[in-house]
Amino acid sequence: MGTVSDPRIGVALGGGAARGLAHIPFIEAMDELGLTPHRIAGTSIGALIGSGWAAGLKGAEIRELAYEMLGTMNGLFGRLFSTQMRSMSKIFREGISIQLDPVQVVDTFTPSGMPDMFEGLRIPFTCVATDFRSWHQVAFHQGPLKIAVAGSLAVPSLYRPVRHHRTVLVDGGVVNPLPLDHASVDCDLLVGIDVNGDPHAWPDGYIPTMLDIGFGSAQIMMHQLIAYMITAYPPDLYFRPHNLNVGSHEYWRVREIIEAGEAEKDRFKRELTARIEGFIAGQRKSS
């Protein structure tokens, strides 16, 4: 007789800047079902949240940290300003930059006790960034954790690129906004959470600003890349929270963003449970 086991679940957490906070209810859903992923892969905000999940944080803990750190505009910008002013010698040497330092942002917005290295994580984790020099994807799964997550977060122009060995790292969403390929390794069920959002409901007669056009164009390109990735690595469950008409930088709308993910939470639990039961039933038939 063969043995019956639970499926190994791989989870891909996509990029979407502030919209990525909608990942949190899906993590809570797996916690409530008593499930731990076999593997997590994340891009950009998905890398930041995914690294905390892989380190052992529960979804509810990530939610509380998000509320605490991002819940007010004053609190958010106070933290960001503190990262800019942290190194006075660097300011005197280089001047005040309007670009954020992603390494300092990771320091500021992650809890104490996070492992320094991938090897210290509880769940295997892959973090995707882009090498601006070679135009290629860089997938990190070992070595220093902070530098990899910072590189994955480095939205072009908004953040300074991250230099790491011979690479110049920028946002992983440039090449792979939903890393299903990395989440699928050695897994039986593949879950993709796409937080790129929907087309913005612009008022009649409104002319988008330069910032609107820049961020919106990036969303359009990511949407196309995600479609190709889904074709190449079809997920068993694919969820795309709607009502995410939130600017990429509007992290202070954290409660509203999380509510958009919350609206899909029960359906996600039902469908994931059904997939697991189907997998186990298939094993029993073949044993």
Side-chain angles (χ1 to χ4, degrees):
M1 293 287 290
T3 58
V4 175
S5 61
D6 291 335
R8 297 166 298 180
I9 303 171
V11 182
L13 301 178
R19 294 181 295 274
L21 297 166
H23 284 309
I24 294 171
F26 296 95
I27 297 172
E28 291 175 330
M30 291 193 65
D31 291 339
E32 290 163 14
L33 291 172
L35 300 172
T36 300
H38 178 72
R39 182 176 302 279
I40 302 166
T43 292
S44 198
I45 185 69
L48 180 63
I49 291 174
S51 65
W53 192 14
L57 289 176
K58 297 295 184 183
E61 294 174 294
I62 299 173
R63 182 191 287 249
E64 287 307 311
L65 285 167
Y67 287 166
E68 176 189 342
M69 295 180 175
L70 307 172
T72 67
M73 192 182 299
N74 288 341
L76 170 61
F77 282 105
R79 288 177 184 272
L80 290 175
F81 182 74
S82 73
T83 69
Q84 292 294 83
M85 301 300 291
R86 188 172 295 172
S87 174
M88 294 304 296
S89 62
K90 188 172 184 179
I91 290 170
F92 287 128
R93 185 173 65 250
E94 301 178 5
I96 297 177
S97 172
I98 62 170
Q99 289 184 301
L100 297 171
D101 181 340
V103 176
Q104 290 185 353
V105 168
V106 171
D107 267 343
T108 301
F109 291 100
T110 53
S112 60
M114 280 288 290
D116 293 325
M117 308 292 284
F118 277 83
E119 290 78 4
L121 297 172
R122 298 184 184 182
I123 301 169
F125 173 63
T126 300
C127 172
V128 175
T130 303
D131 181 9
F132 191 73
R133 284 182 169 169
S134 70
W135 295 5
H136 290 156
Q137 175 180 219
V138 182
F140 295 93
H141 55 86
Q142 60 186 9
L145 178 63
K146 184 194 305 180
I147 199 79
V149 173
S152 186
L153 275 177
V155 176
S157 299
L158 181 61
Y159 291 92
R160 286 201 294 270
V162 175
R163 294 183 179 273
H164 181 59
H165 299 311
R166 297 185 179 182
T167 61
V168 176
L169 303 175
V170 297
D171 189 352
V174 172
V175 290
N176 191 351
L178 185 62
L180 294 166
D181 48 344
H182 297 290
S184 67
V185 177
D186 296 329
C187 289
D188 302 303
L189 292 180
L190 178 59
V191 176
I193 310 298
D194 173 5
V195 292
N196 188 44
D198 299 309
H200 200 89
W202 302 110
D204 289 342
Y206 178 78
I207 303 298
T209 66
M210 181 176 67
L211 197 60
D212 293 333
I213 294 293
F215 285 126
S217 297
Q219 272 186 274
I220 294 168
M221 289 186 286
M222 289 170 66
H223 178 73
Q224 296 302 315
L225 288 170
I226 289 169
Y228 287 121
M229 182 60 71
I230 288 171
T231 300
Y233 296 89
D236 297 284
L237 271 76
Y238 169 74
F239 275 74
R240 181 181 170 197
H242 297 288
N243 301 318
L244 283 178
N245 283 326
V246 173
S248 299
H249 57 291
E250 294 180 322
Y251 287 93
W252 60 87
R253 295 172 65 181
V254 53
R255 284 173 171 79
E256 180 182 344
I257 300 166
I258 289 177
E259 283 174 9
E262 191 87 43
E264 298 280 8
K265 185 175 178 180
D266 287 342
R267 183 168 71 90
F268 176 75
K269 290 169 74 171
R270 289 194 302 271
E271 293 191 15
L272 181 55
T273 299
R275 287 284 185 173
I276 292 171
E277 289 173 349
F279 177 84
I280 292 172
Q283 289 185 97
R284 286 175 178 153
K285 284 182 180 178
S286 60
S287 62

